[in-house]
Structure formats: C-alpha cells, structure tokens
Coordinates of all heavy atoms in Angstrom, one line a residue:
E1247 N 0.8 -1.2 0.0 CA 0.0 0.0 0.0 C 0.9 1.3 0.0 O 0.5 2.3 -0.6 CB -1.0 0.0 1.2 CG -2.1 -1.1 1.0 CD -3.0 -1.1 2.2 OE1 -3.8 -0.2 2.3 OE2 -3.0 -2.1 3.0
L1248 N 2.0 1.2 0.6 CA 2.9 2.4 0.6 C 3.6 2.6 -0.7 O 4.1 3.7 -0.9 CB 4.0 2.2 1.7 CG 3.4 2.2 3.2 CD1 4.6 2.1 4.2 CD2 2.6 3.4 3.5
T1249 N 3.6 1.6 -1.6 CA 4.2 1.8 -2.9 C 3.3 2.5 -3.8 O 3.7 3.1 -4.9 CB 4.6 0.4 -3.5 OG1 3.4 -0.3 -3.8 CG2 5.5 -0.4 -2.7
R1250 N 2.0 2.6 -3.5 CA 1.1 3.3 -4.4 C 1.3 4.8 -4.5 O 1.5 5.5 -3.5 CB -0.4 3.1 -3.9 CG -0.8 1.6 -3.9 CD -2.1 1.4 -3.3 NE -2.5 0.0 -3.2 CZ -3.5 -0.6 -2.5 NH1 -4.2 0.2 -1.8 NH2 -3.7 -1.9 -2.5
T1251 N 1.3 5.3 -5.7 CA 1.6 6.7 -5.9 C 0.5 7.5 -5.3 O 0.7 8.7 -5.0 CB 1.6 7.0 -7.4 OG1 0.4 6.6 -8.1 CG2 2.8 6.3 -8.0
S1252 N -0.7 6.9 -5.0 CA -1.8 7.7 -4.4 C -1.7 7.8 -2.9 O -2.5 8.5 -2.3 CB -3.1 7.0 -4.8 OG -3.1 5.6 -4.2
H1253 N -0.7 7.1 -2.3 CA -0.6 7.2 -0.9 C -0.2 8.6 -0.4 O 0.8 9.2 -0.9 CB 0.5 6.2 -0.4 CG 0.7 6.3 1.1 ND1 -0.3 5.9 2.0 CD2 1.7 6.7 1.9 CE1 0.1 6.1 3.3 NE2 1.3 6.6 3.2
R1254 N -1.0 9.1 0.5 CA -0.7 10.4 1.1 C 0.0 10.3 2.4 O -0.6 9.6 3.3 CB -2.0 11.2 1.2 CG -1.8 12.6 1.8 CD -3.0 13.5 1.5 NE -4.2 12.8 2.0 CZ -4.7 13.0 3.3 NH1 -4.0 13.6 4.2 NH2 -5.8 12.4 3.6
V1255 N 1.1 10.8 2.6 CA 1.9 10.6 3.9 C 1.2 11.5 5.0 O 1.2 12.7 4.9 CB 3.4 10.9 3.7 CG1 4.1 10.7 5.0 CG2 3.9 10.1 2.6
T1256 N 0.8 10.8 6.1 CA 0.3 11.4 7.3 C 0.6 10.4 8.4 O 0.7 9.2 8.2 CB -1.2 11.7 7.1 OG1 -1.7 12.4 8.3 CG2 -2.0 10.4 7.0
P1257 N 0.8 10.9 9.6 CA 1.1 10.0 10.7 C 0.2 8.8 10.8 O -1.0 9.0 10.8 CB 1.1 10.9 12.0 CG 1.4 12.2 11.4 CD 0.8 12.3 10.1
L1258 N 0.7 7.6 10.9 CA -0.1 6.4 11.0 C -0.3 6.1 12.4 O 0.6 5.9 13.2 CB 0.7 5.2 10.3 CG 0.1 3.8 10.5 CD1 -1.3 3.7 9.9 CD2 1.0 2.8 9.9
A1259 N -1.6 6.0 12.8 CA -1.9 5.7 14.2 C -2.0 4.2 14.3 O -2.8 3.5 13.7 CB -3.3 6.3 14.6
L1260 N -1.1 3.6 15.1 CA -1.0 2.1 15.2 C -1.7 1.6 16.5 O -1.3 2.0 17.6 CB 0.5 1.8 15.2 CG 0.9 0.3 15.2 CD1 0.2 -0.4 14.0 CD2 2.4 0.1 15.2
G1261 N -2.7 0.7 16.3 CA -3.4 0.1 17.4 C -4.4 1.0 18.0 O -4.3 1.4 19.2
I1262 N -5.4 1.5 17.2 CA -6.4 2.4 17.8 C -7.6 1.6 18.2 O -8.1 1.8 19.4 CB -6.8 3.4 16.7 CG1 -5.6 4.3 16.3 CG2 -7.9 4.3 17.1 CD1 -5.0 5.1 17.5
N1263 N -8.2 0.8 17.4 CA -9.3 0.0 17.8 C -8.9 -1.0 18.9 O -9.6 -1.2 19.9 CB -10.0 -0.8 16.6 CG -11.2 -0.1 16.2 OD1 -11.5 1.0 16.6 ND2 -11.9 -0.8 15.3
T1264 N -7.9 -1.8 18.7 CA -7.4 -2.8 19.6 C -5.9 -2.6 19.8 O -5.2 -2.2 18.9 CB -7.7 -4.2 19.2 OG1 -7.2 -4.4 17.9 CG2 -9.2 -4.4 19.1
D1265 N -5.4 -2.8 21.0 CA -4.0 -2.5 21.4 C -3.1 -3.4 20.5 O -3.1 -4.6 20.5 CB -3.8 -2.8 22.9 CG -2.6 -2.1 23.4 OD1 -1.5 -2.1 22.8 OD2 -2.8 -1.4 24.5
A1266 N -2.1 -2.7 19.9 CA -1.2 -3.3 19.0 C -0.2 -4.1 19.8 O 0.5 -5.0 19.3 CB -0.4 -2.3 18.2
Y1267 N -0.1 -3.9 21.1 CA 0.9 -4.6 22.0 C 0.2 -5.4 23.0 O 0.7 -5.7 24.1 CB 1.8 -3.6 22.7 CG 2.8 -3.0 21.8 CD1 2.7 -1.8 21.2 CD2 4.0 -3.7 21.4 CE1 3.6 -1.2 20.3 CE2 4.9 -3.2 20.6 CZ 4.8 -2.0 20.0 OH 5.7 -1.5 19.2
Q1268 N -1.0 -5.9 22.7 CA -1.7 -6.9 23.6 C -0.9 -8.1 23.7 O 0.0 -8.4 22.9 CB -3.1 -7.1 23.1 CG -3.2 -7.8 21.7 CD -4.6 -8.0 21.2 OE1 -5.2 -9.0 21.7 NE2 -5.1 -7.2 20.3
P1269 N -1.2 -9.0 24.8 CA -0.3 -10.1 25.1 C 0.1 -11.0 23.9 O 1.2 -11.5 23.8 CB -1.1 -10.9 26.1 CG -1.9 -9.8 26.9 CD -2.2 -8.8 25.8
I1270 N -0.9 -11.3 23.0 CA -0.5 -12.2 21.9 C 0.5 -11.7 20.9 O 1.1 -12.4 20.2 CB -1.8 -12.6 21.1 CG1 -2.4 -11.4 20.4 CG2 -2.8 -13.4 22.0 CD1 -3.5 -11.8 19.4
E1271 N 0.9 -10.4 21.0 CA 1.9 -9.8 20.2 C 3.3 -10.4 20.5 O 4.2 -10.5 19.7 CB 1.9 -8.3 20.3 CG 3.2 -7.6 19.8 CD 3.4 -7.7 18.3 OE1 2.5 -8.1 17.6 OE2 4.5 -7.4 17.9
R1272 N 3.4 -10.9 21.8 CA 4.7 -11.5 22.1 C 5.0 -12.7 21.2 O 6.2 -12.9 20.9 CB 4.7 -12.0 23.6 CG 4.5 -10.9 24.6 CD 4.6 -11.4 26.0 NE 4.3 -10.3 27.0 CZ 5.3 -9.5 27.4 NH1 6.5 -9.6 27.0 NH2 5.0 -8.5 28.3
E1273 N 4.0 -13.4 20.8 CA 4.2 -14.6 20.0 C 4.1 -14.3 18.5 O 4.9 -14.7 17.7 CB 3.2 -15.7 20.3 CG 3.2 -16.9 19.4 CD 2.1 -17.9 19.7 OE1 1.3 -17.7 20.7 OE2 2.0 -18.9 19.0
W1274 N 3.1 -13.4 18.1 CA 2.8 -13.2 16.7 C 3.7 -12.1 16.1 O 4.0 -12.2 14.9 CB 1.3 -12.9 16.5 CG 0.5 -14.1 16.8 CD1 0.0 -14.5 18.0 CD2 0.0 -15.0 15.9 NE1 -0.7 -15.6 17.9 CE2 -0.8 -16.0 16.6 CE3 0.1 -15.2 14.5 CZ2 -1.4 -17.1 16.0 CZ3 -0.5 -16.2 13.9 CH2 -1.3 -17.2 14.6

C-alpha cells in the first residue's frame, strides 16, 4: 500500500481499535 503513488503521507496511528501490544503480540 505504501508503494502506491496515491498514498498520502500522514502519521499512521498504530493500534487504535485494539491494542497493538496486547499479550498475543509476544508470539505473533
């Protein structure tokens, strides 16, 4: 998706709906 010429750069919010660092992230 970042290779697309249509991509507009703006800060990416990571883990908004659900926590990106929840416990299963240790394994996955």
Side-chain angles (χ1 to χ4, degrees):
E1247 291 181 72
L1248 293 182
T1249 63
R1250 296 173 183 167
T1251 56
S1252 60
H1253 177 68
R1254 179 166 55 87
V1255 182
T1256 185
L1258 172 63
L1260 185 56
I1262 296 300
N1263 257 11
T1264 54
D1265 202 309
Y1267 286 99
Q1268 60 180 285
I1270 61 171
E1271 166 62 16
R1272 295 184 186 276
E1273 175 185 355
W1274 291 85

